[in-house]
Amino acid sequence: MTEQHSHQFERGTDGPKVIVVGVDGSDSSLRAAAYAGGLARRQGALLAVVYVQPVLAGGAALGASVAETTDEIAEELVAQIREATERVKGIFDIRWEFHTFRGDPYSGLVQTADELKADAVVVGASEQAGHRFVGSVAVRLVKSGRWPVTVVP
């Protein structure tokens, strides 16, 4: 007598349901956002786009308001994301939300990923030479070992 197992078809995916992507306006972060957007679309996941506005010590001494500048960057990033989603509207549907606040990029991404119970984090590779020695946000995220981290070149 052979034993038969009942196999039931499962709708949906076993992939990520919430994907956090860090953006800062750099080319690599925008490539990371595009990659994460494609992944979110294919998986039917929520894409949480995070821009952590850096707090620069002594920023006021530079003569320009750092807070105003980072607010402008945040507004520009939201505009770029909205424009991109409008271009593909009707062809691809993607659920996304934008989060921005001031602080350390690593801490901001960790906080957002924890709050949203993210299944994956996507970031661009650092474009700063010093990060090869000190460690980038991407390296710190990988070392934390809390989520799968994809680093997009």
Side-chain angles (χ1 to χ4, degrees):
M1 177 188 233
T2 57
E3 190 177 317
Q4 286 190 325
H5 295 282
S6 173
H7 293 285
Q8 197 172 41
F9 180 75
E10 182 179 329
R11 285 202 178 277
T13 69
D14 290 335
K17 294 296 176 203
V18 178
I19 300 168
V20 169
V21 61
V23 295
D24 62 8
S26 67
D27 288 345
S28 67
S29 79
L30 296 176
R31 285 190 296 272
Y35 176 87
L39 183 60
R41 178 186 56 79
R42 289 186 299 279
Q43 296 294 327
L46 171 67
L47 178 64
V49 180
V50 179
Y51 170 57
V52 181
Q53 301 176 35
V55 176
L56 303 176
L62 299 175
S65 169
V66 174
E68 285 179 21
T69 302
T70 58
D71 283 345
E72 289 172 17
I73 293 169
E75 289 171 17
E76 186 177 316
L77 289 168
V78 171
Q80 287 177 8
I81 296 163
R82 284 200 175 113
E83 180 183 313
T85 55
E86 281 299 314
R87 279 196 307 263
V88 297
K89 196 174 187 176
I91 302 168
F92 302 119
D93 283 326
I94 184 167
R95 293 180 304 123
W96 65 277
E97 54 189 46
F98 184 78
H99 301 262
T100 185
F101 42 88
R102 288 180 175 75
D104 167 57
Y106 169 78
S107 300
L109 287 167
V110 167
Q111 178 184 340
T112 305
D114 282 346
E115 286 175 5
L116 297 176
K117 295 179 177 46
D119 299 299
V121 177
V122 180
V123 292
S126 175
E127 295 179 355
Q128 295 180 356
H131 283 171
R132 279 181 238 154
F133 306 107
V134 178
S136 64
V137 170
V139 169
R140 291 172 67 194
L141 287 166
V142 170
K143 285 182 176 181
S144 75
R146 294 163 74 169
W147 323 266
V149 177
T150 301
V151 181
V152 177

